């Protein structure tokens, strides 16, 4: 594995069928030439991801929806115009140009124009679509730095294009427009309110979408929609802030506990655990041991929380705690995506007890 900032080198590797991890504004992607079945197969192998789970095809700024999708509804054009480049993925009926390899044989394709300047430069240099899932092993937390990618994928990726830490920090919002309605498949980096304003009405919930017809057919088996996903090694409990103190008292009796909570919630808990405990250190962004509990505060604002979330989960894994108790944020702005990821991290595990 090599690592650097050489965009033309990264584009040549993609053209030769290689794998390039690259930064987007949401999380790092593991990219391959979307037109090459062999290159796309390497992505699935490197991630350990089941072949039936389709990849998002990333497009350069200015890409025409009609080149990549058919039966494009007016609402798709409106969303693309208003929100691209940006953290939004649209599911549409695929055109003949999209290879079956990237979509896992599905009649639909996920399309996204990422806003990160390095991603845009790579797409422009490469000149085609780049199929890319998040650059982590299947089921694990998405990478928001080049170091995270290197730790997860090592030599299974040919080149890591380092663009610094990701600004948004959670994956793109996915809206399925292939069913005659706008269905929210995954809350993400573009808040629900921004999308609903553009489309002029409410998004349909994914669990209600099974009733709809359209090219998408039955609800997709997307990994981001599995009960357990985005999970660190430690056990995760996701609780409302009002239940945090009780959950900590129960768990710390038998296990090494860490708490992940917005700063104001974390500071209140610290004061309860150890009256007079200094709370200032939380402002520095590091973890503090208070009353035997490792407390890692996140910024109180929803965008700051999303940006810090995955790095914080990785830090807590490195601290070797048994259980992470996370306080759920209000489902406002990016808080909806943060809450969604925390609930999935807390879902039943395949890999871990
Ligand atoms: O922000 C993001 O979306 C990042 C960056 C790299 O762009 N990508 C990402 O990809 O999160 P991935 O593969 O980790 O998650 C994409 C989700 C998966 O749950 C996948 O199954 C779903 O999108 N998906 C992709 N194509 C789909 C389709 N045609 N129909 C339904 N779901 C689809
Ligand atoms: Mg992923």
């Amino acid at each position: 594995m090599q690592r650097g900032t050489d965009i033309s080198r990264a584009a040549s590797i993609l053209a030769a069928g290689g794998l390039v991890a690259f930064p987007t504004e949401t999380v790092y992607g593991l990219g391959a030439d979307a037109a090459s079945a062999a290159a796309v197969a390497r992505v699935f192998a490197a991630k350990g991801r089941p072949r039936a789970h389709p990849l998002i095809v990333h497009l350069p700024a200015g890409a025409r929806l009609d080149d990549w999708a058919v039966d494009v509804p007016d609402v798709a054009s409106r969303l693309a115009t208003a929100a691209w480049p940006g953290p939004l993925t649209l599911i549409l009926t695929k055109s003949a140009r999209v290879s079956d390899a990237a979509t896992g044989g599905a009649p639909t394709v996920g399309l996204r124009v990422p806003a990160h300047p390095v991603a845009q430069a790579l797409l422009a240099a490469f000149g085609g679509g780049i199929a890319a899932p998040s650059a982590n092993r299947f089921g694990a937390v998405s990478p928001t730095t080049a170091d995270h990618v290197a730790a997860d994928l090592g030599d299974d990726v040919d080149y890591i294009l380092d663009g610094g830490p990701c600004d948004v920090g959670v994956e793109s919002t996915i809206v399925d427009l292939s069913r005659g309605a706008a269905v929210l498949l995954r809350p993400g980096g573009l808040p629900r309110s921004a999308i609903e304003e553009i489309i002029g009405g409410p998004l349909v919930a994914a669990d209600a979408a099974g009733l709809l017809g359209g090219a998408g057919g039955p609800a997709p088996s997307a990994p981001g929609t599995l009960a357990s996903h985005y999970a660190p090694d430690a056990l995760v409990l996701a609780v409302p802030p009002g239940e945090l103190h009780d959950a900590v008292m129960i768990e710390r009796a038998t296990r090494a506990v860490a708490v992940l909570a917005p700063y104001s919630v974390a500071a209140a808990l610290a004061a309860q655990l150890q009256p007079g405990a200094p709370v200032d250190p939380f402002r520095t962004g590091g973890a503090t041991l208070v009353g035997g509990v490792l407390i890692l505060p996140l910024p109180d604002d929803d965008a700051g929380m999303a940006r810090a979330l995955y790095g914080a989960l990785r830090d807590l894994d490195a601290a070797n705690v048994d259980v992470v108790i996370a306080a759920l944020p209000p489902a406002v702005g990016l808080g909806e995506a943060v809450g969604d990821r925390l609930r999935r991290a807390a879902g039943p595990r395949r890999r871990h007890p």
Side-chain angles (χ1 to χ4, degrees):
M1 176 258 295
Q2 297 196 334
R3 179 170 163 174
T5 57
D6 187 341
I7 284 165
S8 55
R9 184 171 156 64
S12 313
I13 291 171
L14 286 176
L19 301 189
V20 171
F22 64 100
T24 81
E25 73 279 29
T26 58
V27 301
Y28 274 73
L30 178 62
D33 179 356
S36 164
V40 169
R42 286 191 61 204
V43 172
F44 283 93
K47 272 194 69 109
R49 173 157 161 165
R51 288 302 299 257
H53 294 298
L55 306 183
I56 295 171
V57 177
H58 296 71
L59 303 175
R64 284 167 33 84
L65 275 182
D66 289 332
D67 286 342
W68 300 89
V70 296
D71 301 331
V72 177
D74 177 55
V75 65
S77 311
R78 288 213 308 279
L79 277 168
T81 303
W84 282 352
L88 173 69
T89 295
L90 300 178
I91 307 295
L92 294 163
T93 306
K94 80 180 190 74
S95 75
R97 173 163 180 180
V98 178
S99 72
D100 281 335
T103 66
T108 56
V109 61
L111 298 173
R112 159 160 136 78
V113 176
H116 197 294
V118 172
Q120 277 302 322
L122 178 65
L123 284 155
F126 175 61
I130 300 178
S134 51
N136 53 281
R137 304 258 181 227
F138 184 67
V141 173
S142 292
T144 52
T145 68
D147 280 347
H148 294 165
V149 179
D152 272 13
L153 297 177
D155 285 332
D156 288 343
V157 52
D158 297 310
Y159 192 72
I160 301 177
L161 193 53
D162 191 344
C166 300
D167 194 43
V168 176
V170 292
E171 303 82 353
S172 62
T173 305
I174 304 182
V175 177
D176 186 349
L177 299 172
S178 70
R179 300 152 181 276
V183 180
L184 181 64
L185 292 189
R186 177 177 77 180
L190 188 65
R192 167 197 293 273
S193 56
I195 297 169
E196 293 184 336
E197 194 169 314
I198 297 164
I199 67 180
L203 286 160
V204 176
D207 54 10
L211 305 171
L212 302 166
S221 55
T225 60
L226 295 177
S228 173
H229 209 66
Y230 310 105
D233 287 328
L235 188 72
V236 178
L237 301 176
V239 301
E243 293 171 22
L244 184 60
H245 180 258
D246 284 359
V248 167
M249 297 313 276
I250 291 166
E251 292 297 330
R252 82 167 178 179
T254 57
R255 304 200 258 201
V257 173
V259 165
L260 187 64
Y263 173 78
S264 54
V265 176
L269 175 72
Q272 280 178 298
L273 291 177
Q274 188 180 318
V279 291
D280 279 352
F282 296 155
R283 295 251 182 241
T284 67
T288 312
L289 204 57
V290 181
V293 175
L294 193 66
I295 301 186
L296 185 58
L298 294 171
D300 272 313
D301 69 292
D302 61 303
M305 206 182 297
R307 189 177 301 126
L309 178 68
Y310 287 151
L313 287 172
R314 284 173 187 260
D315 287 351
L316 289 176
D317 261 348
N320 270 321
V321 293
D322 301 320
V323 54
V324 174
I325 307 179
L328 291 164
V332 173
L334 296 194
E336 184 175 5
V338 172
D340 172 78
R341 302 308 187 270
L342 287 173
R343 284 193 192 84
R344 291 186 199 286
R349 298 294 172 82
R350 294 175 305 274
R351 296 178 306 145
H352 303 289

